[in-house]
Amino acid sequence: MSTTPSVAPESACTGCPAHHLSNLRRLGVEMEDWDYVVALAGNPNVGKSTVFNSLTGLRQHTGNWPGKTVTRAEGGFEFGKQRYKIVDLPGTYSLLATSPDEEVARDFILFGQPDVTVVVVDATRLERNLNLALQVLEITPRVVVCLNLMDQARRLGLQVDDRRLARDLGIPVVPATARYREGLDTLLQAIAGVATGDIVGKPHRSLQEPPALRKALTTLVEHLTQLHPGLPNPRWVALRLLDGDERITAAVRSGEIADLATAQGRPLPTAPAAASAA
Amino acid sequence: MKTSHPITADRVLREAQTLRWKIGATFHDDLVESLYKEASRLADRAVTRPGDTPRFDLDRTVDRIVTSRVWGFPLMLLLFAGVFWITIAGANVPSRWLATLLLDTVLPLLKQFSASLGLPRWIDGLCLDGMYRATAWVVSVMLPPMAIFFPLFTLLEDFGYLPRVAFNLDRWFKRAGAHGKQSLTMMMGFGCNAAGVVATRIIDSPRERLIAMLTNNFALCNGRWPTQILIASIFIGATAPPLLAGLVSAAAVVGVALLGILASLATSWGLSRTVLRGEVSTFSLELPPYRPPRFWQTIYTSLIDRTLFVLWRAVVFAVPAGAVIWLVANLQVGGTSVAGHLIDWLNPLGVLIGLNGVILLAYVIAIPANEIVIPAVLVLTVLMTGTTGVGEGAGVLFELDSHQATLQLLKAGGWTLLTGVNLMLFSLLHNPCSTTLYTIYKESGSWRWTVVAALLPLAMGLVVTFFVAQVWRVVAP
């Protein structure tokens, strides 16, 4: 844990399972304190609540329709001697915060500063789901993609190359079928790896922007970094400012954004720092 | 840039303001577009598609049928009628078993036990005749239909059918000036109105959310399905030949549920054209892929989470209600029981709207939970008619062995087919239970809207039953 962070993994499958599901202790809602905070994000109806339930042992009602989870649910689990608090965010298509549920999700990922954000994506609708994953990656590199509904993908005859996706995104990608508890082992390891800093995501940010925008961005990013050295996502904040996002504008004005700089700039998360994220 | 100026938050914000004008108005769209392009590029690299995907088409074909303008609604009605028919046909026998067990076997044992302890008569009456019997009644009458209905409904939900229903109804809700997502919150209301009210959080516009909250009560909830199913079986089913009785009863229940949807649409329309005027928001409703439900797990979780949860709630309310009923039936004021006074006082209004004082009193007692309406009605009827041979004294909630016996008793209490029909209507159209009202208050944060939510459906119920009663009395011989 105290060694310098390793390079990004080639894929989610970093070696064979050293841990097993038997190491997983579900804590339900009985969370007194925790070592790490994990956020669950994803489009509506991709099985976030199913993943949440199988990790926490809780029984949040899951249903086959979008919009099942309108508020965030919290639970906990213990894995490899560490206690994790997991927060199930409302399903959203984007983080542009045009509706209250999108705002809940975005504010938590940004200001709640989870140690790991798991983006659950529907393997059968990868393109649309990746929109959200890319937006999350703009905010934080501490991301694990859970490629859920792999059984559906197989049923449709789709072959999803999780290793290539992991390489392209620069973060761990774990294929899973949460309903049948398939892949949860690997998911837990990836979560633990990102949480402890053993796995450090290096997201490729290859978004192309028009030249006029690039210039404006460069200026703003430069000044934002001068204002708050260590701000983890100056480009994203700059974009939100250019877009006239009121919440972010207010956060810059009040200096709330600086908390991100100090908290996310920490080399490795420790238990008390994680607890302050609440 | 002049570096002599210190960088302040205000300066950065001003800069962003100026730059925003330079980068052009399409910048937001450009950004979203580049995001989509990148997502599509990554997805293309990662996913290999087979030449054709026949199963994909199966989903689409099913969707084309279940959401078609012609077949969508008839199919929906058939499906729900089927679910109710299975519930009605399947619940009768286990109900009787439970009643025999809890009331004919366990109760005498308890009575013996209390006699051997030499408990005073009133303790024995309050606990066994009041609380125990109310609970036993609720369990035997509610558990079997719920244990059949909820798993079936959950299977439909897990399969992915409910969003299609919402899709079919969406058009109508929009036309009524409400949000299309209201069809989803209504679906939740068919389980529990309090849950449905919480679910309105998925609606962004406050105006439309309020409409959805105020009209959620028109979706028949868990507590009211048993009333509908029982009354439909003994009054409406009885008018049909025995072979068709089950089907006719199921059709009647579906009819009332449909009427609820109509009431919901009509009220939304009325509200959105008077006190809650405004634009209709658009949204995209995603139809999820059909997924084969995990049969045994669905059965298990719906039994544990839904059936036992609702049953527990019913029992929690039935225990004190049983005590209240026993007390009002046994406390005497001026030679008549308190219940007698209340019923006499409510009777004129009851008769005017095709019901009676007993039913209205039962509804007052059942404000905390709709589940106990029928038990309360039955015991109060015994009290008022003094029917012998059923029940065992004033204020005893009893179990009737068959639908036939229930019918006999209610007829002795002056019930007609009109009473049955109007009770079904009133069960649909009356104030929400206290839990739902409290939830509406918490969600809307307004006492005024909570009062509207309570009185609006009650007023509608009174008006509708009044008119049905007047027309019935003119038309019927």
Side-chain angles (χ1 to χ4, degrees):
Chain A
M1 266 193 63
S2 56
T3 53
T4 43
S6 60
V7 282
E10 281 303 291
S11 82
C13 210
T14 46
C16 291
H19 304 282
H20 292 283
L21 277 181
S22 52
N23 286 346
L24 171 70
R25 197 155 74 87
R26 294 150 158 193
L27 297 173
V29 286
E30 289 157 25
M31 288 298 293
E32 299 268 293
D33 53 341
W34 50 85
D35 300 312
Y36 300 111
V37 178
V38 178
L40 265 187
N43 285 17
N45 205 38
V46 294
K48 279 182 305 301
S49 298
T50 312
V51 172
F52 179 82
N53 288 346
S54 44
L55 291 179
T56 57
L58 289 175
R59 255 186 269 99
Q60 273 276 313
H61 184 71
T62 58
N64 187 4
W65 71 25
K68 195 78 216 190
T69 315
V70 283
T71 48
R72 31 179 254 234
E74 301 185 358
F77 64 91
E78 195 180 293
F79 179 74
K81 302 234 171 67
Q82 305 284 354
R83 289 164 74 86
Y84 295 79
K85 176 167 110 163
I86 181 160
V87 180
D88 191 12
L89 299 174
T92 54
Y93 293 104
S94 83
L95 292 179
L96 300 173
T98 53
S99 66
D101 43 354
E102 282 187 10
E103 211 173 313
V104 169
R106 189 197 72 183
D107 283 359
F108 189 80
I109 295 172
L110 185 64
F111 298 110
Q113 299 162 32
D115 296 291
V116 185
T117 300
V118 176
V119 183
V120 183
V121 304
D122 179 345
T124 66
R125 289 164 162 66
L126 197 55
E127 179 178 339
R128 200 190 51 203
N129 280 251
L130 281 180
N131 283 325
L132 180 74
L134 288 172
Q135 289 181 49
V136 174
L137 280 173
E138 295 261 306
I139 299 181
T140 167
R142 302 171 154 271
V143 178
V144 173
V145 164
C146 172
L147 204 52
N148 196 23
L149 304 176
M150 286 300 283
D151 60 329
Q152 298 274 331
R154 281 192 291 267
R155 186 171 76 97
L156 297 172
L158 297 176
Q159 285 179 345
V160 185
D161 187 345
D162 55 285
R163 285 161 189 252
R164 168 169 262 179
L165 189 62
R167 226 173 299 136
D168 283 355
L169 289 172
I171 48 155
V173 172
V174 182
T177 306
R179 285 216 296 171
Y180 302 102
R181 311 190 48 78
E182 205 184 287
L184 287 182
D185 236 346
T186 327
L187 179 64
L188 279 167
Q189 285 165 50
I191 292 173
V194 172
T196 56
D198 289 344
I199 300 174
V200 174
K202 292 244 173 70
H204 297 227
R205 287 176 179 156
S206 49
L207 293 186
Q208 298 299 315
E209 61 262 324
L213 177 59
R214 196 173 311 145
K215 245 175 89 187
L217 265 179
T218 317
T219 315
L220 265 185
V221 166
E222 192 183 305
H223 289 161
L224 272 171
T225 351
Q226 278 177 38
L227 188 60
H228 300 299
L231 190 67
N233 37 28
R235 183 180 180 277
W236 185 82
V237 174
L239 277 173
R240 297 319 302 149
L241 290 182
L242 285 175
D243 212 2
D245 188 314
E246 283 172 23
R247 178 80 172 88
I248 304 300
T249 306
V252 170
R253 181 169 294 126
S254 70
E256 190 185 352
I257 209 89
D259 298 344
L260 299 182
T262 50
Q264 289 217 348
R266 71 202 167 205
L268 283 173
T270 50
S276 72
Chain B
M1 297 282 138
K2 282 147 235 146
T3 42
S4 54
H5 286 277
I7 302 281
T8 61
D10 278 338
R11 184 174 153 204
V12 172
L13 291 177
R14 268 202 312 277
E15 220 165 53
Q17 284 277 9
T18 344
L19 287 170
R20 191 180 312 153
W21 295 108
K22 287 192 192 151
I23 53 180
T26 59
F27 123 84
H28 183 89
D29 294 347
D30 292 346
L31 215 62
V32 173
E33 205 185 302
S34 77
L35 197 66
Y36 274 59
K37 251 194 215 147
E38 177 68 0
S40 137
R41 189 183 70 88
L42 291 176
D44 273 353
R45 279 167 59 84
V47 180
T48 320
R49 282 162 209 286
D52 56 342
T53 50
R55 287 184 194 241
F56 220 55
D57 288 337
L58 180 68
D59 267 22
R60 284 206 189 149
T61 316
V62 173
D63 265 345
R64 217 167 288 150
I65 298 168
V66 299
T67 62
S68 97
R69 282 179 187 235
V70 183
W71 295 109
F73 277 102
L75 267 174
M76 187 174 93
L77 293 187
L78 269 180
L79 245 143
F80 283 122
V83 167
F84 289 125
W85 181 70
I86 296 173
T87 307
I88 289 172
N92 206 357
V93 174
S95 269
R96 212 174 309 156
W97 286 347
L98 278 173
T100 317
L101 173 73
L102 293 176
L103 292 155
D104 296 351
T105 315
V106 176
L107 185 61
L109 289 177
L110 287 174
K111 285 264 185 195
Q112 259 175 21
F113 180 66
S114 92
S116 73
L117 288 182
L119 289 175
R121 172 77 188 92
W122 69 270
I123 292 188
D124 175 271
L126 192 66
C127 294
L128 294 182
D129 291 335
M131 298 194 272
Y132 174 78
R133 275 174 184 272
T135 314
W137 210 99
V138 164
V139 170
S140 61
V141 122
M142 289 189 57
L143 182 58
M146 286 194 315
I148 301 174
F149 177 71
F150 287 147
L152 286 176
F153 199 76
T154 314
L155 281 175
L156 274 183
E157 185 181 333
D158 281 3
F159 176 60
Y161 181 66
L162 293 193
R164 273 77 189 179
V165 174
F167 180 87
N168 286 339
L169 290 173
D170 164 54
R171 232 177 319 143
W172 296 92
F173 277 103
K174 262 192 202 144
R175 239 177 256 178
H179 198 289
K181 279 189 195 166
Q182 193 174 320
S183 50
L184 284 173
T185 60
M186 192 181 69
M187 288 292 137
M188 292 284 280
F190 278 127
C192 169
N193 295 135
V197 169
V198 175
T200 60
R201 290 182 190 172
I202 59 175
I203 297 173
D204 310 333
S205 125
R207 178 190 81 87
E208 289 160 337
R209 184 165 170 219
L210 202 51
I211 293 180
M213 262 189 242
L214 294 178
T215 56
N216 196 275
N217 180 47
F218 298 123
L220 277 179
C221 68
N222 291 328
R224 294 182 279 171
W225 290 116
T227 307
Q228 297 291 345
I229 291 171
L230 181 74
I231 299 296
S233 310
I234 63 179
F235 278 98
I236 312 232
T239 60
L243 265 180
L244 294 175
L247 281 180
V248 172
S249 323
V253 177
V254 172
V256 172
L258 274 186
L259 209 64
I261 298 178
L262 269 182
S264 187
L265 286 168
T267 312
S268 303
W269 186 84
L271 287 171
S272 70
R273 262 154 199 73
T274 52
V275 282
L276 290 171
R277 244 173 297 201
E279 290 292 306
V280 177
S281 335
T282 51
F283 77 110
S284 64
L285 177 67
E286 186 193 353
L287 292 182
Y290 291 101
R291 290 176 190 156
R294 297 185 63 192
F295 190 78
W296 291 112
Q297 194 189 326
T298 303
I299 301 279
Y300 173 79
T301 49
S302 75
L303 278 180
I304 299 296
D305 289 355
R306 242 166 153 167
T307 310
L308 290 187
F309 176 80
V310 172
L311 189 72
W312 174 242
R313 190 182 113 85
V315 167
V316 165
F317 282 108
V319 171
V324 167
I325 293 171
W326 190 84
L327 283 175
V328 293
N330 281 278
L331 288 178
Q332 305 271 323
V333 176
T336 316
S337 67
V338 174
H341 285 297
L342 289 171
I343 290 169
D344 284 344
W345 183 66
L346 287 167
N347 213 35
L349 173 66
V351 170
L352 189 68
I353 59 173
L355 299 171
N356 55 45
V358 169
I359 297 175
L360 293 185
L361 180 58
Y363 267 97
V364 174
I365 294 175
I367 285 176
N370 282 295
E371 287 85 346
I372 54 177
V373 165
I374 291 289
V377 162
L378 288 176
V379 71
L380 289 168
T381 305
V382 173
L383 179 74
M384 293 317 291
T385 53
T387 309
T388 50
V390 277
E392 286 156 35
V396 179
L397 278 170
F398 51 88
E399 165 61 20
L400 295 156
D401 283 346
S402 68
H403 286 164
Q404 205 49 41
T406 316
L407 185 61
Q408 290 309 321
L409 171 77
L410 292 176
K411 279 193 171 156
W415 287 48
T416 60
L417 183 55
L418 168 67
T419 324
V421 168
N422 268 3
L423 176 55
M424 286 177 81
L425 289 173
F426 195 72
S427 160
L428 174 72
L429 303 169
H430 73 281
N431 50 291
C433 72
S434 52
T435 310
T436 305
L437 284 175
Y438 179 62
T439 311
I440 292 176
Y441 170 68
K442 268 200 313 198
E443 293 290 317
S444 69
S446 147
W447 276 113
R448 271 178 47 218
W449 286 117
T450 311
V451 170
V452 171
L455 295 187
L456 185 73
L458 186 62
M460 286 170 69
L462 293 176
V463 169
V464 168
T465 48
F466 174 78
F467 275 107
V468 170
Q470 304 320 308
V471 172
W472 192 289
R473 282 169 186 150
V474 171
V475 175

